[in-house]
């Protein structure tokens, strides 16, 4: 049976406010819970007006209060932006409030640009501490004191499950060395997916938390009852990503201008970001996901429903579940 989960970036569509995007996370999670999704994750991004999930622990607490059984977590916390103790306390608090439902995915990327790092009082060099920061964080969430003087309250003994996130071979190698599950961000960085999964599996070292490799692969899903609508939604999402890439330079560009860029060699990278996308009706989505799983051997898929309208997104959530359970 396919294990399927959801990544929710709390996307702010052009006609919506941040409050609208945050409000939509609750019905989306409730629909995922009802439809048998394993978990919903929220990703830390900064200085991006179209993404409202920057404060992951706050958003998780809100959604957890309006759901019952589904696992919730970060996919992920960009650990170099924080002290391990702070994250242990935040996610330890969540785990005490919602036992058995909290995950913690960890990434090394900053989740923004250099100006954002400066605003967080961090530097690019902080990423070099990622491996040791994970070990420190793991100790805060375990039963043993990391030092005689410092401990995480809440946090200690919660053993919040840790996942290493990545889009390159570095994360795969680190997850394998630490014996932790590995999630690859192929929904926007597809290039190294198969190589990274192979490296992770080939070099995996069993640990006290995991005795065999466990892989999660991400993909986009645009599922609907009308294939033409799904194709149009795919194009809309590509335009939105191009606008985000161009930032202020996109302000005066029409949709026709954006389409012209997307169809040129300059748009190759943007189009390739969505290389792994299940698009269309129940049958089309089912066929795509089966092929994707055969090609990657992933133990679990985590999907970003790249759909702007909330009602359409809820339908996409249901269609994926129908495709994978029937």
């Amino acid at each position: 049976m396919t294990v399927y989960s959801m990544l929710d970036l709390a996307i702010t569509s052009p006609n919506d406010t941040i409050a609208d995007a945050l409000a939509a996370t609750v019905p989306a999670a409730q629909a995922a819970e009802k439809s048998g999704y394993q978990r919903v994750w929220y990703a830390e991004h900064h200085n991006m007006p179209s993404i409202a999930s920057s404060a992951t622990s706050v958003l998780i607490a809100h959604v957890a209060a309006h759901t019952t059984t589904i696992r919730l977590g970060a996919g992920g916390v960009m650990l170099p932006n924080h002290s391990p103790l702070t994250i242990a306390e935040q996610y330890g608090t969540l785990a005490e409030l919602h036992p058995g439902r909290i995950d913690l995915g960890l990434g090394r990327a900053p989740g923004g640009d250099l100006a954002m790092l400066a605003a967080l009082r961090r530097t690019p060099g902080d990423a070099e501490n990622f491996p040791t920061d994970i070990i420190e964080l793991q100790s805060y969430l375990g039963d043993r004191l990391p030092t005689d003087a410092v401990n995480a309250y809440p946090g200690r003994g919660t053993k919040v499950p840790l996942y290493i996130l990545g889009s390159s071979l570095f994360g795969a190698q680190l997850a394998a060395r630490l014996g932790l599950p590995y999630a690859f961000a192929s929904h926007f960085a597809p290039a190294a997916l198969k190589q990274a999964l192979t490296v992770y599996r080939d070099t995996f070292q069993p640990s006290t938390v995991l005795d065999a490799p466990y892989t999660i692969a991400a993909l986009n899903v645009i599922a609907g009852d009308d294939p033409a609508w799904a194709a149009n939604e795919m194009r809309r999402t590509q335009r939105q990503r191009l606008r985000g890439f161009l930032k202020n330079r996109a302000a005066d560009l029409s949709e026709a201008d954006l389409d012209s860029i997307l169809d040129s060699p300059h748009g190759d990278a943007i189009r390739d970001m969505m290389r792994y996308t299940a698009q269309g009706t129940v049958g089309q989505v089912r066929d795509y996901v089966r092929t994707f799983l055969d090609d990657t051997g992933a133990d679990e898929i985590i999907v970003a429903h790249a759909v702007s309208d909330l009602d359409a997104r809820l339908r996409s959530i249901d269609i994926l579940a129908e495709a994978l359970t029937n």
Side-chain angles (χ1 to χ4, degrees):
M1 180 178 177
T2 302
V3 180
Y4 53 99
S5 299
M6 183 169 73
L7 175 67
D8 189 344
L9 299 176
I11 295 293
T12 305
S13 300
N15 297 324
D16 293 335
T17 65
I18 288 176
D20 292 330
L22 293 173
T25 61
V26 169
Q30 290 171 335
E33 182 174 70
K34 182 179 178 181
S35 296
Y37 285 62
Q38 176 76 3
R39 65 188 95 243
V40 181
W41 280 358
Y42 305 93
E44 176 186 348
H45 292 276
H46 299 282
N47 200 27
M48 297 182 184
S50 63
I51 296 178
S53 57
S54 57
T56 56
S57 60
V58 178
L59 186 54
I60 291 165
H62 174 64
V63 176
H66 292 84
T67 52
T68 306
T69 58
I70 195 165
R71 298 191 67 87
L72 301 165
V77 163
M78 301 298 105
L79 192 54
N81 295 343
H82 313 274
S83 76
L85 178 62
T86 297
I87 297 304
E89 290 171 341
Q90 290 177 3
Y91 282 80
T93 299
L94 289 169
E96 295 287 5
L97 291 170
H98 307 283
R101 295 183 59 201
I102 303 301
D103 299 328
L104 178 49
L106 302 168
R108 184 175 67 123
D113 53 21
L114 291 176
M116 178 278 301
L117 276 179
L120 287 175
R121 306 299 189 266
R122 314 298 284 185
T123 69
D126 292 320
E128 300 302 318
N129 298 323
F130 185 54
T132 55
D133 283 350
I134 292 173
I135 294 170
E136 182 180 348
L137 173 60
Q138 196 171 33
S139 70
Y140 287 133
L141 296 170
D143 294 322
R144 296 177 57 189
L145 294 172
T147 71
D148 291 337
V150 179
N151 203 14
Y153 297 111
R156 183 183 180 187
T158 58
K159 299 178 182 174
V160 175
L162 303 183
Y163 297 75
I164 304 300
L165 314 183
S167 57
S168 68
L169 301 187
F170 177 89
Q173 293 165 335
L174 179 61
R177 188 168 77 244
L178 297 178
L180 293 173
Y182 178 56
F184 192 91
S186 36
H187 64 299
F188 76 90
L193 170 62
K194 294 180 183 179
Q195 185 181 8
L197 295 184
T198 298
V199 167
Y200 169 69
R201 294 183 183 116
D202 288 349
T203 60
F204 179 83
Q205 300 176 26
S207 67
T208 57
V209 297
L210 196 64
D211 59 8
Y214 189 87
T215 57
I216 303 175
L219 70 157
N220 300 287
V221 171
I222 302 174
D225 299 302
D226 180 1
W229 170 86
N232 288 334
E233 195 68 11
M234 176 74 162
R235 194 63 165 183
R236 181 206 60 78
T237 301
Q238 291 175 332
R239 291 192 203 102
Q240 183 173 336
R241 293 195 178 188
L242 178 58
R243 285 188 182 279
F245 178 77
L246 295 174
K247 295 185 178 179
N248 294 335
R249 292 174 292 170
D252 297 326
L253 296 178
S254 66
E255 289 195 353
D257 293 329
L258 294 172
D259 283 338
S260 179
I261 296 172
L262 285 170
D263 291 333
S264 75
H266 298 292
D268 289 349
I270 296 296
R271 294 198 311 275
D272 190 58
M273 287 174 67
M274 298 189 69
R275 182 194 311 177
Y276 294 119
T277 299
Q279 174 187 324
T281 61
V282 171
Q284 291 171 315
V285 169
R286 180 187 296 116
D287 291 345
Y288 186 94
V289 172
R290 285 176 176 172
T291 300
F292 181 79
L293 288 170
D294 287 343
D295 287 345
T296 62
D299 299 291
E300 179 179 339
I301 59 170
I302 187 163
V303 307
H305 288 280
V307 179
S308 56
D309 176 75
L310 176 58
D311 288 338
R313 194 180 320 150
L314 297 179
R315 180 60 183 141
S316 186
I317 290 169
D318 289 343
I319 287 176
L320 177 70
E322 184 179 346
L324 299 184
T325 56
N326 294 331

